[in-house]
Amino acid sequence: MNSLINQKTKSKIPLSALKSIPSLAVTENLSIYSSKHEQNLTHFDPFRFFNDHKKSRHQTIKSTTIIHTHLLKKALLQSDIFVANSLLDWYCKSGSMDGALQLFDTIPHPNEISWNIMISGYNHNFLFEDSWRTFCRMHLLGFEPNGFTYGSVLSACTALQAPSFGKLVYSLAIKNGFSLDGYVRAGTIDFFAKNSSFEDALRVFYDVSCDNVVCWNALISGAVKNRENWLALDLFIRMCRLSLLPNSFTFSSVLTACATLEELQYGKGVQGWVIKCTAKDVFVGTAIVDLYAKCGDIDEAVKEFSRMPDRNVVSWTAIIAGFVQKNDCVTALKFYKEMRNMRVEINNYTVTSVITACANPDMIEEAKQIHSWILKSGFYMDQVVGSALINMYSKLRAIDLSEMVFREMENFNIPGKWAAMISSFAQNQNSQRAIQLYRSMLEEGLRPDKYCTSSVLSVVNSLKLGRQIHCYTLKTDLAIELLVGSSLFTMYSKCGCLEDSYKVFKQIPVRDNVSWASMISGFAEHGCADQAVQLFREMLSEKTRPDQMTLTAILTACSALFSLQRGREIHGYALRTGIGEKQLLGGALVNMYSKCGAVELARRVFDMLPEKNQVCCSSLVSGYAQNGLLEDAVVLFQEMLMSGLEQDSFTFSSVIGAIALLNRSGIGTQLHALIIKMGLGSDVCVGSSLVTMYSRCGSMEDCCKAFDEIDKPDLIGWSAMITSYAQHGKGAEALKAYDLMVKGGIKPDSVTFVGVLSACSHNGLVEEGYFHFNAMAKDYGIRPNYHHYACMVDLLGRSGRLKEAEKFINDMPIQPDALVWGTLLAACKVHGDVELGSLAAKRVMELKPCDAGAYVSLSNIRAEVGQWEEVLEIRRLMKGTGLTKETGWSSV
């Protein structure tokens, strides 16, 4: 312990914390010290005076100095330790620690109370290093600390973020028999929860049974700070069962946990306790306002705010942040204006909330005004405010102004501003600048933090660069950070390395709901829905409680598996946990039921949603279209338009697909006009659907126009155009579009090659067909499926190379299906090859006995060469199997 006396510690108290220290009053009501009373000081009784003013809050340097002078005249300080300690306490409370130290050094025989006053005084004035040094000096001089001493110095260690010091103090407390002292236990729990390990805090708490409310409060507060909010609520319930009466500190912590979890009903129950215990002060009132605001009930938040007799800066910030969360930026700014008119103190959290409110494209002028006020008020020097300004201009698409703020903060080489700027580039799809800025940090000798690294990983689409950043995170121990780990496995998943993604996920020491949801989504999006379901089971086995984000991800996996049973089980779980009515989950449920063919259930969930948004409406429109209920899809879309609900590209794409299948070009043209009016014509998803619609309606001219409107065609858009050309017999144009797509750096998929091979087939381009068929596996690693083989058989059959087509079928690495043999049968019919046609028909009948088309085709082949007896035999076979020829029809 002696070696620690002169050891210097580095204060980690943020500047923002110092701003909250009230300035010392330099004047006071001097009625008891006025000249008319000074003549009565001869009758001054220090014992009565200090006892009468023990809880007074009016200790100032001036009043303390007057009393000190009088006590010196009376020579009481040297002879009475009570008087000396009382005056020492006044110096500490007045903020004059220099005066307190001078007085302390003149006390001939200070006792443990004297030392405790000095230690707690330093804590009260945020001089935590001096508090630690005083404790070390006390121990060196042989004074025995008591429970109050240990509790106070533990608070200093907590504020200094000095785990080694705190553990030494706790060890000393155990050695001297103070481990069971309530004040020491509370300080130890708070220390471990904030600095070292929450598990250690739990261990200290559970060492012995506890009926000390302060200890319970410390643990509940520690659970909230460590994001163990469900544990905080569980502790609160257990505390109440032990008949321990919660106080305002308990309620504010528990209400914060409810707000974080968005557990409004639970929070209302706690609010009932508050009313019952009459424990509502400004802190509890603020926590209630924050609860309603974060749970989306802003009207109730305003009511609670208006009922508060006293409001502080946190109260105002909570209500402003609530309106920001509801995207009601105008009202948020009105409350901010009212706050300023009432001259309420404004801190950096208030400012950042207001900046967030201004991050709206319609509020560019307000954003500039707030920026000007920040420059005048001095908040510009705060790194958090500067970073918020960078983010604000980024969301306003004014990236040049973001860079201006970034450059003006050049004297602050802090990771926060770099992270904000990298994130801004990432949000504006400028991955090159984001990566360049990250490299600049490294070149300047700065160490990127977890926010910088996760932001740059979000825009990395190069596996080589991603691996390099991964190596850097391993060297700097950033890889164990949850945020960085999640960004790493998301990057690998985005680059198609699902195995590496899962390895990184498994290495993250502590996983939250976001990481579980991201990994489950990664499996589902890459065709590994079974693994997504298995991962969800692992999550439940680890006692992690899924939130709506995780349940949405697993419902996507159920949709991919078309697993209605699993989807219904997830739905039941969501209802039991109270998440089933969440809007985000409602859209996922509608989508799952639609994809699984249970459109009636999808509609039932849709009708039960308290609020319909574009996601759930789009999912149901798509579900109707995919399940053949085309009229219902169009009607629902019309209802969406009539209700004024905002439409997105997914909705338009779904309804366009339905219109294309209905072959209603008139409605399609009207819809195209609406799309142009809304500025969605350049959207690749909508444009691709328009291409397909016009193609099916037979208008290649409109098809080409719709394609030309697309800003940046993707694989789906190019594939739609290639297929449209192929279906209309424009093979040369289809192959030209394919070449343009490949030159543009877009890799074709199996659907693209179906269009390419169809184009070759329709134009008799046999050699080109062979070239592209071989290129599938050789150049792109795509294994041909039955559709590709059928296209090649069709290509050879149309060219009259029937024997070559038969050999091609026999050489297939997979067993030919009815589609392949049926394609050969159609070619034999065209070219009148009875023998090969009979063989092809026989194979189709074996593989698909209920296919009437094969019987009809074979019958027609026989009839064309005059084999009428065979025709009659085929007809008898059809009747024997109960098959009938479908009557032809026309929509004209």
Side-chain angles (χ1 to χ4, degrees):
M1 202 71 178
N2 297 347
S3 63
L4 296 173
I5 296 174
N6 297 316
Q7 186 172 347
K8 292 186 178 180
T9 58
K10 183 178 180 181
S11 176
K12 296 184 180 178
I13 307 306
L15 292 175
S16 58
L18 298 180
K19 289 181 182 178
S20 63
I21 304 173
S23 58
L24 294 172
V26 293
T27 59
E28 186 183 0
N29 183 355
L30 298 178
S31 59
I32 62 171
Y33 308 111
S34 61
S35 56
K36 114 176 148 177
H37 289 85
E38 283 183 9
Q39 52 190 318
N40 295 326
L41 287 176
T42 53
H43 306 293
F44 177 70
D45 183 349
F47 300 98
R48 177 178 294 180
F49 177 83
F50 284 121
N51 278 321
D52 290 345
H53 294 81
K54 187 181 293 184
K55 297 182 179 180
S56 172
R57 296 184 179 181
H58 300 288
Q59 297 93 339
T60 65
I61 296 174
K62 183 175 181 180
S63 63
T64 307
T65 305
I66 293 173
I67 296 171
H68 191 173
T69 304
H70 186 69
L71 291 174
L72 285 172
K73 291 179 181 179
K74 291 287 186 178
L76 291 172
L77 292 175
Q78 303 296 321
S79 59
D80 197 304
I81 190 63
F82 170 79
V83 174
N85 286 340
S86 298
L87 181 61
L88 188 66
D89 187 48
W90 272 55
Y91 267 115
C92 292
K93 289 178 179 176
S94 69
S96 177
M97 290 309 299
D98 290 336
L101 182 60
Q102 290 175 10
L103 172 62
F104 180 79
D105 289 338
T106 63
I107 299 175
H109 302 291
N111 59 13
E112 64 180 22
I113 297 175
S114 312
W115 289 98
N116 287 345
I117 290 171
M118 287 299 296
I119 292 170
S120 61
Y122 281 126
N123 283 353
H124 179 74
N125 289 279
F126 302 100
L127 300 172
F128 301 109
E129 291 181 6
D130 294 310
S131 177
W132 169 252
R133 291 194 187 98
T134 304
F135 173 74
C136 293
R137 181 183 168 197
M138 175 185 181
H139 185 267
L140 180 65
L141 293 175
F143 287 90
E144 287 295 331
N146 59 16
F148 186 83
T149 319
Y150 289 121
S152 297
V153 78
L154 280 167
S155 297
C157 294
T158 302
L160 287 170
Q161 298 182 19
S164 58
F165 291 175
K167 289 176 182 178
L168 282 172
V169 173
Y170 182 52
S171 299
L172 194 61
I174 294 174
K175 180 182 176 182
N176 293 332
F178 287 97
S179 61
L180 299 181
D181 183 274
Y183 194 65
V184 175
R185 290 190 72 200
T188 306
I189 292 168
D190 188 54
F191 164 75
F192 279 127
K194 291 179 180 176
N195 277 286
S196 181
S197 168
F198 185 63
E199 292 181 2
D200 289 333
L202 286 169
R203 179 178 53 78
V204 172
F205 180 80
Y206 287 121
D207 275 346
V208 292
S209 59
C210 181
D211 57 358
N212 187 326
V213 174
V214 178
C215 292
W216 283 89
N217 286 347
L219 192 64
I220 292 171
S221 173
V224 173
K225 286 181 173 65
N226 285 273
R227 300 181 181 180
E228 296 285 350
N229 294 295
W230 285 112
L231 176 59
L233 299 185
D234 182 58
L235 287 167
F236 175 69
I237 292 172
R238 290 167 56 191
M239 177 182 175
C240 295
R241 286 175 180 169
L242 292 172
S243 301
L244 294 174
L245 190 64
N247 57 24
S248 61
F249 190 88
T250 322
F251 289 128
S252 59
S253 296
V254 174
L255 286 165
T256 300
C258 294
T260 305
L261 294 169
E262 296 185 17
E263 285 287 337
L264 183 57
Q265 292 306 315
Y266 199 120
K268 286 182 177 180
V270 177
Q271 185 183 5
W273 262 90
V274 171
I275 297 169
K276 181 180 178 181
C277 298
T278 62
K280 189 173 180 180
D281 57 15
V282 66
F283 301 105
V284 176
T286 300
I288 293 172
V289 171
D290 189 52
L291 167 73
Y292 283 110
K294 285 183 177 174
C295 292
D297 193 346
I298 195 66
D299 293 335
E300 193 62 33
V302 172
K303 287 180 183 178
E304 291 295 331
F305 181 79
S306 64
R307 291 170 185 156
M308 291 178 66
D310 298 309
R311 303 166 193 150
N312 59 13
V313 60
V314 183
S315 316
W316 284 93
T317 304
I319 197 69
I320 291 170
F323 281 109
V324 173
Q325 183 179 314
K326 290 287 285 185
N327 292 320
D328 189 351
C329 304
V330 175
T331 309
L333 292 180
K334 285 181 180 177
F335 269 84
Y336 168 70
K337 184 178 180 181
E338 184 181 349
M339 180 182 181
R340 287 190 60 196
N341 291 338
M342 296 183 70
R343 301 187 182 280
V344 179
E345 175 197 9
I346 293 175
N347 62 20
N348 58 343
Y349 297 105
T350 319
V351 176
T352 52
S353 294
V354 173
I355 290 172
T356 305
C358 293
N360 186 310
D362 298 328
M363 305 188 75
I364 185 69
E365 290 305 318
E366 288 84 351
K368 290 178 180 178
Q369 291 173 17
I370 290 296
H371 192 172
S372 300
W373 178 83
I374 289 169
L375 288 169
K376 292 179 182 178
S377 62
F379 278 105
Y380 200 70
M381 303 299 289
D382 190 291
Q383 60 171 335
V384 177
V385 173
S387 299
L389 282 171
I390 292 173
N391 285 324
M392 177 189 74
Y393 284 124
S394 169
K395 290 178 180 177
L396 293 172
R397 303 296 180 190
I399 197 69
D400 54 332
L401 294 177
S402 289
E403 290 190 83
M404 179 194 74
V405 176
F406 177 77
R407 286 192 299 270
E408 289 176 353
M409 294 176 69
E410 60 184 357
N411 294 328
F412 300 94
N413 263 331
I414 48 177
K417 73 159 189 175
W418 291 84
M421 197 66 239
I422 291 171
S423 176
S424 296
F425 284 132
Q427 290 171 7
N428 286 271
Q429 306 300 315
N430 197 335
S431 57
Q432 187 175 358
R433 292 295 304 277
I435 294 167
Q436 182 184 356
L437 196 60
Y438 189 79
R439 284 175 174 154
S440 298
M441 283 190 77
L442 297 172
E443 290 168 0
E444 292 186 20
L446 296 172
R447 179 173 173 172
D449 64 2
K450 59 183 179 181
Y451 302 105
C452 298
T453 305
S454 63
S455 292
V456 78
L457 282 169
S458 69
V459 296
V460 169
N461 51 18
S462 165
L463 189 58
K464 182 179 178 181
L465 178 60
R467 290 191 190 281
Q468 290 175 348
I469 297 176
H470 189 182
C471 290
Y472 173 77
T473 63
L474 291 170
K475 289 179 181 178
T476 55
D477 291 331
L478 280 173
I480 62 174
E481 292 283 352
L482 175 61
L483 187 62
V484 176
S486 299
S487 299
L488 277 169
F489 76 70
T490 302
M491 180 273 297
Y492 279 120
S493 178
K494 187 171 59 177
C495 293
C497 295
L498 208 58
E499 187 176 347
D500 289 333
S501 177
Y502 187 56
K503 284 180 182 177
V504 174
F505 174 78
K506 295 295 284 183
Q507 291 169 358
I508 299 175
V510 180
R511 297 182 283 267
D512 63 357
N513 268 297
V514 176
S515 56
W516 282 102
S518 299
M519 194 67 245
I520 291 169
S521 296
F523 277 132
E525 290 167 6
H526 287 81
C528 302
D530 283 322
Q531 288 168 273
V533 173
Q534 181 59 36
L535 192 62
F536 181 71
R537 290 195 182 112
E538 288 181 28
M539 179 184 181
L540 295 177
S541 66
E542 291 189 12
K543 309 292 184 181
T544 303
R545 181 168 177 166
D547 59 4
Q548 61 172 328
M549 187 186 306
T550 320
L551 293 179
T552 300
I554 192 61
L555 283 170
T556 303
C558 294
S559 302
L561 290 170
F562 303 105
S563 177
L564 181 60
Q565 181 61 33
R566 284 177 182 157
R568 296 184 75 164
E569 289 172 359
I570 300 296
H571 190 184
Y573 176 86
L575 291 172
R576 286 195 303 273
T577 55
I579 310 176
E581 295 181 358
K582 301 284 186 181
Q583 197 174 67
L584 177 64
L585 193 65
L589 284 167
V590 171
N591 181 59
M592 182 273 296
Y593 282 126
S594 298
K595 290 276 180 68
C596 293
V599 186
E600 290 184 6
L601 288 174
R603 182 71 197 213
R604 193 181 302 172
V605 173
F606 177 82
D607 290 338
M608 290 171 62
L609 290 175
E611 292 182 22
K612 275 82 171 173
N613 60 11
Q614 62 185 43
V615 176
C616 59
C617 289
S618 299
S619 297
L620 190 56
V621 169
S622 176
Y624 279 139
Q626 290 168 2
N627 288 279
L629 302 172
L630 308 177
E631 295 282 358
D632 291 321
V634 176
V635 169
L636 180 59
F637 178 74
Q638 288 175 333
E639 290 175 1
M640 291 173 68
L641 290 177
M642 295 294 291
S643 64
L645 195 65
E646 185 179 352
Q647 315 299 316
D648 61 2
S649 57
F650 181 74
T651 316
F652 277 112
S653 178
S654 299
V655 78
I656 290 168
I659 290 169
L661 292 172
L662 286 170
N663 198 21
R664 294 188 178 181
S665 57
I667 298 177
T669 304
Q670 294 175 25
L671 192 59
H672 192 176
L674 178 61
I675 288 167
I676 294 171
K677 183 179 179 181
M678 295 181 65
L680 290 173
S682 60
D683 185 274
V684 64
C685 182
V686 176
S688 301
S689 299
L690 286 170
V691 167
T692 303
M693 181 193 74
Y694 282 124
S695 174
R696 286 182 175 173
C697 293
S699 176
M700 274 308 297
E701 183 180 354
D702 290 328
C703 186
C704 293
K705 287 180 181 178
F707 182 79
D708 290 338
E709 288 177 6
I710 300 174
D711 188 18
K712 291 181 180 179
D714 63 357
L715 176 61
I716 297 173
W718 282 106
S719 297
M721 198 65 217
I722 292 167
T723 302
S724 298
Y725 276 132
Q727 289 173 347
H728 286 78
K730 298 180 179 291
E733 288 86 345
L735 295 178
K736 184 179 178 181
Y738 172 76
D739 290 336
L740 288 172
M741 182 191 81
V742 173
K743 287 177 182 177
I746 299 176
K747 292 182 179 180
D749 64 357
S750 60
V751 177
T752 314
F753 277 108
V754 170
V756 170
L757 294 176
S758 296
C760 295
S761 175
H762 283 79
N763 289 269
L765 304 173
V766 178
E767 298 306 321
E768 288 85 347
Y770 271 117
F771 171 79
H772 290 297
F773 182 81
N774 293 328
M776 286 178 62
K778 181 180 176 182
D779 298 337
Y780 300 104
I782 300 172
R783 184 180 298 175
N785 59 35
Y786 289 114
H787 290 285
H788 302 111
Y789 286 111
C791 286
M792 286 301 296
V793 171
D794 186 53
L795 168 60
L796 296 170
R798 285 173 183 264
S799 302
R801 297 158 73 161
L802 299 178
K803 292 296 180 183
E804 188 176 343
E806 181 186 11
K807 183 178 183 303
F808 180 84
I809 293 174
N810 291 329
D811 292 341
M812 283 174 58
I814 57 177
Q815 193 69 28
D817 67 347
L819 174 65
V820 175
W821 283 112
T823 304
L824 180 61
L825 174 59
C828 292
K829 178 185 174 184
V830 172
H831 295 284
D833 192 328
V834 179
E835 183 180 352
L836 187 55
S838 299
L839 174 65
K842 183 180 178 182
R843 295 287 184 269
V844 174
M845 293 172 191
E846 289 173 354
L847 293 167
K848 200 173 181 182
C850 59
D851 187 357
Y855 291 91
V856 174
S857 295
L858 182 58
S859 174
N860 291 339
I861 292 173
R862 299 288 187 182
E864 286 181 7
V865 295
Q867 297 178 356
W868 298 108
E869 291 182 5
E870 286 78 358
V871 171
L872 292 173
E873 180 64 26
I874 293 168
R875 296 283 173 88
R876 279 195 297 270
L877 286 172
M878 283 186 69
K879 287 180 181 179
T881 55
L883 297 174
T884 58
K885 181 179 181 297
E886 187 177 347
T887 306
W889 59 276
S890 172
S891 60
V892 179

